[in-house]
Amino acid sequence: MSQRQALPIGIQTFEDLRTGGADYLYIDKTAYIHEMTKLPKGYYFLSRPRRFGKSMLCSTLQALFEGKKELFEGLYIHDKWDWSEKYPVVRIDLSGIKYTSIEDLEKQLTNALIDNCHKFELDLDNFKKSGHGPQLSELIRTLYERYQSKVVVLIDEYDKPIQDTLSNDDDLASKSLDVLRGFYSAIKASDQYIRFCFMTGITKFTGVGLFSGANNFEDITLDSSYASICGFTQHELNTCFGDYFDGIDMEEVQAWYNGYNYLGEKVYNPYDILLFLKKKGKFDNYWWDSGQPSFLTKMFEKGAYETYDLENLELSSQELKQFTLSNFNLPSLLWQAGYLTITEEIQEPFGGSSYVLATPNREVRMTLNMLFLISLTSVESNRLLKRNEAARSLFKNDLEQFEASVRAMFAAIPFNNYVQNNIQKYEGFYASVMFSFMAGLGLKCRTEESISTGRIDMTMESPTHIYVIKFKVNAPQPKDGERGEALDQIHEKKYYEPYLNYGRKIVLIGMHFNEKDRNLDWFKTEEL
């Protein structure tokens, strides 16, 4: 058996990956690059979640345009590129710091310009123009005149300063957008000097001045021709990773990390796959634990979305692809950030498309729902440490333990959550909390599922049982021998019928909550 290629964990540039003193595994994406660069001029924008390989893609483009032929030996593009042409490449990377002020952004732009000037032995202080945008224009023009060649501009994570400031209560995100608009205006002003421009980010904000005008950026985010330009496909896992996946349950790998859909073949998050293999096949929340945008919790609170809505959202093409700071669309942001993915494209009869969204895989579903639970209930994560007992109890069909776990979870919700509202009066609150609680444990849950007789509040599945649940608030206490309103409604509407042929035992659960105690009043079960 041939020696395994080294996993490229922590490798930051294409050049290091190809010449870093080890035989690093590289998934060849240069066919996509060839397609994107074959025209004499091009402006492209690509949105992908964090840690999806955008920076490596920019680094590969840089090496290609700089004519580093030896790095591409054996790759698709090697014998298809004109290596006699070399271009000066200006690369701006805004991913390096956490932005907490406009001063942070101004300093990072200055440093980016200085780094590019040093690369070409120029002095930014000698530039006649002032301001980051005009200085970038002067840099591009100067390089064009010096090398008698058009310039390539690569901008990585263009929107990170806006992402970092989205959760601020002031208008810092808006101020950051204004600064970036002035900076990126240099690209349009320098059009005559530019051969190729490629920009990456997580979110497509309107109002930045990049997506309109004569040199409009072509958004390839949902272009099926580029669906797999970042991330790993199943075919790539099967053919490029040697024996790394020997003895590993590939169905579980798919359930945990696959599922990102950009209107082509689904892709895996590459960060997850590389860390999973490094940890010798241990399933864990690698991508999620690498850091979440700080805006998520606050946006959940502002959005007022019921958790289960995030498993079956429908958005128009316009809503999905971009939004403004003044008209914030949480589902669109969650999709662009990688917490939702497209499960279906709907061609509208009047033209255009709509998209159905859901979480892409188990890792995101579990962690997103746990974050939603913490946001919804204000319960600190360390007070939910015993939450796994709830899942274990269902796998053992120990309903007494399950009831105890549910009671403990609701008892942990701070009283202050109820002071300025009446959420404890509504079944939807308890349903949302229960869904987040159980889905955050990795259980397969469904809510508000429509059948001919009505909507089933919630179902949960274990390998041996299906649990059909009905929630009630302030219902009358059932007398001895009575089922109670919740179980009565399950029987009346025959909510269990869709599951009779699943080959698993069916358990009906009625949960009656008390507005005064803000917890279970009583809990009844029945096995069919």
Side-chain angles (χ1 to χ4, degrees):
M1 183 178 67
S2 61
Q3 186 177 2
R4 282 184 172 184
Q5 291 180 287
L7 297 172
I9 296 171
I11 304 299
Q12 301 298 317
T13 70
F14 179 72
E15 185 165 358
D16 286 344
L17 189 149
R18 300 291 284 177
T19 62
D23 181 19
Y24 285 112
L25 176 69
Y26 175 68
I27 307 301
D28 188 359
K29 301 288 185 177
T30 60
Y32 302 105
I33 292 175
H34 180 255
E35 180 66 24
M36 189 166 45
T37 57
K38 64 185 182 182
L39 294 176
K41 197 178 191 70
Y43 291 80
Y44 294 92
F45 169 76
L46 176 71
S47 168
R48 287 294 186 270
R50 59 187 174 85
R51 296 188 177 274
F52 235 80
K54 300 188 298 295
S55 296
M56 182 59 70
L57 182 58
C58 286
S59 178
T60 308
L61 283 163
Q62 179 177 349
L64 182 73
F65 280 108
E66 289 177 344
K68 297 180 178 179
K69 180 179 180 180
E70 70 282 359
L71 300 181
F72 293 86
E73 187 173 348
L75 302 183
Y76 174 88
I77 205 170
H78 184 263
D79 60 354
K80 300 172 180 65
W81 188 255
D82 182 0
W83 296 106
S84 65
E85 293 281 352
K86 296 184 180 181
Y87 302 87
V89 178
V90 173
R91 185 171 176 189
I92 307 290
D93 185 353
L94 297 184
S95 67
I97 68 170
K98 171 71 175 178
Y99 297 90
T100 60
S101 67
I102 290 298
E103 289 72 26
D104 289 339
L105 175 54
E106 297 276 3
K107 183 177 180 180
Q108 185 74 349
L109 293 177
T110 298
N111 289 340
L113 289 169
I114 290 173
D115 288 345
N116 278 279
C117 284
H118 284 173
K119 173 182 173 181
F120 296 104
E121 298 181 341
L122 299 171
D123 190 340
L124 185 64
D125 291 336
N126 292 335
F127 282 17
K128 298 176 181 178
K129 297 179 179 179
S130 61
H132 296 110
Q135 288 175 336
L136 177 57
S137 293
E138 189 167 354
L139 173 61
I140 293 170
R141 180 185 57 78
T142 300
L143 294 176
Y144 172 79
E145 293 174 349
R146 172 187 285 192
Y147 294 97
Q148 293 297 294
S149 171
K150 289 193 173 184
V151 179
V152 171
V153 179
L154 307 174
I155 300 181
D156 196 12
E157 301 286 5
Y158 90 99
D159 59 334
K160 189 171 187 296
I162 308 173
Q163 293 278 347
D164 283 356
T165 53
L166 276 176
S167 59
N168 290 62
D169 293 326
D170 55 20
D171 61 346
L172 189 55
S174 179
K175 293 176 182 176
S176 298
L177 189 147
D178 287 341
V179 171
L180 291 174
R181 183 188 299 115
F183 182 63
Y184 297 139
S185 66
I187 297 173
K188 287 189 176 182
S190 306
D191 177 66
Q192 61 184 312
Y193 308 120
I194 291 177
R195 154 69 173 90
F196 180 85
C197 186
F198 183 67
M199 181 172 293
T200 78
I202 292 177
T203 309
K204 185 178 177 181
F205 286 100
T206 60
V208 189
L210 295 172
F211 306 108
S212 62
N215 56 351
N216 182 24
F217 276 75
E218 180 181 349
D219 185 354
I220 61 172
T221 301
L222 285 179
D223 185 333
S224 60
S225 300
Y226 298 98
S228 307
I229 193 171
C230 291
F232 299 151
T233 66
Q234 186 64 54
H235 177 73
E236 288 167 342
L237 261 62
N238 294 342
T239 59
C240 300
F241 281 80
D243 64 350
Y244 270 109
F245 286 98
D246 286 359
I248 292 176
D249 186 342
M250 189 55 72
E251 288 188 2
E252 278 294 289
V253 177
Q254 290 174 343
W256 268 86
Y257 305 123
N258 199 1
Y260 295 92
N261 179 15
Y262 298 99
L263 304 186
E265 185 177 354
K266 291 180 180 179
V267 293
Y268 289 86
N269 184 319
Y271 184 81
D272 272 324
I273 291 300
L274 295 177
L275 266 292
F276 171 76
L277 294 176
K278 180 183 179 182
K279 298 296 183 179
K280 302 187 185 305
K282 178 184 177 183
F283 292 99
D284 210 338
N285 304 320
Y286 299 112
W287 177 68
W288 184 274
D289 289 343
S290 67
Q292 310 90 44
S294 59
F295 63 79
L296 265 183
T297 300
K298 185 163 288 191
M299 291 303 105
F300 271 148
E301 294 169 352
K302 291 180 178 180
Y305 286 91
E306 293 178 329
T307 317
Y308 44 81
D309 284 346
L310 300 180
E311 291 299 327
N312 189 30
L313 279 166
E314 185 174 326
L315 295 182
S316 69
S317 175
Q318 190 67 19
E319 289 174 316
L320 184 72
K321 293 180 180 178
Q322 60 187 21
F323 58 88
T324 66
L325 292 177
S326 59
N327 186 21
F328 209 88
N329 187 314
L330 176 60
S332 174
L333 181 58
L334 288 172
W335 171 71
Q336 294 185 55
Y339 302 104
L340 296 175
T341 196
I342 295 171
T343 59
E344 182 182 1
E345 182 181 14
I346 302 171
Q347 296 294 329
E348 300 293 357
F350 47 81
S353 300
S354 295
Y355 301 95
V356 180
L357 307 179
T359 50
N361 53 46
R362 186 178 299 164
E363 177 192 23
V364 176
R365 189 174 306 116
M366 289 172 60
T367 46
L368 188 63
N369 277 292
M370 191 50 60
L371 179 65
F372 199 107
L373 177 64
I374 294 169
S375 173
L376 189 64
T377 64
S378 300
V379 177
E380 297 177 3
S381 58
N382 62 351
R383 298 188 67 189
L384 295 169
L385 290 177
K386 293 187 177 181
R387 63 186 184 271
N388 288 333
E389 290 180 356
R392 296 190 197 110
S393 65
L394 289 182
F395 273 65
K396 295 184 295 184
N397 196 36
D398 184 348
L399 297 179
E400 288 187 8
Q401 179 59 53
F402 177 66
E403 178 186 357
S405 298
V406 172
R407 288 185 181 276
M409 188 266 296
F410 278 101
I413 299 176
F415 175 76
N416 288 344
N417 271 37
Y418 305 99
V419 171
Q420 296 181 339
N421 55 59
N422 295 313
I423 56 177
Q424 71 272 22
K425 292 184 178 181
Y426 302 105
E427 294 173 8
F429 167 71
Y430 299 100
S432 291
V433 172
M434 279 299 301
F435 181 88
S436 297
F437 185 53
M438 301 313 299
L441 296 170
L443 268 77
K444 185 175 182 179
C445 302
R446 290 188 292 270
T447 61
E448 295 291 330
E449 188 171 16
S450 294
I451 62 173
S452 61
T453 57
R455 290 179 180 269
I456 307 170
D457 281 1
M458 184 171 169
T459 59
M460 301 183 300
E461 296 185 26
S462 78
T464 56
H465 289 75
I466 293 177
Y467 300 91
V468 180
I469 303 173
K470 178 64 184 176
F471 302 99
K472 288 289 185 181
V473 179
N474 296 335
Q477 184 78 20
K479 298 176 183 178
D480 289 343
E482 293 182 342
R483 295 189 183 111
E485 282 190 7
L487 288 184
D488 279 343
Q489 187 168 340
I490 293 176
H491 278 280
E492 177 188 348
K493 301 290 187 179
K494 297 182 180 180
Y495 288 149
Y496 51 83
E497 279 196 339
Y499 309 104
L500 290 176
N501 297 320
Y502 273 46
R504 280 174 275 184
K505 294 180 180 179
I506 297 175
V507 177
L508 315 181
I509 300 178
M511 293 191 189
H512 284 224
F513 290 88
N514 184 303
E515 170 192 343
K516 180 180 177 181
D517 298 330
R518 301 176 299 279
N519 208 323
L520 279 172
D521 194 5
W522 51 270
F523 177 95
K524 285 217 167 199
T525 67
E526 177 184 338
E527 184 171 318
L528 296 184

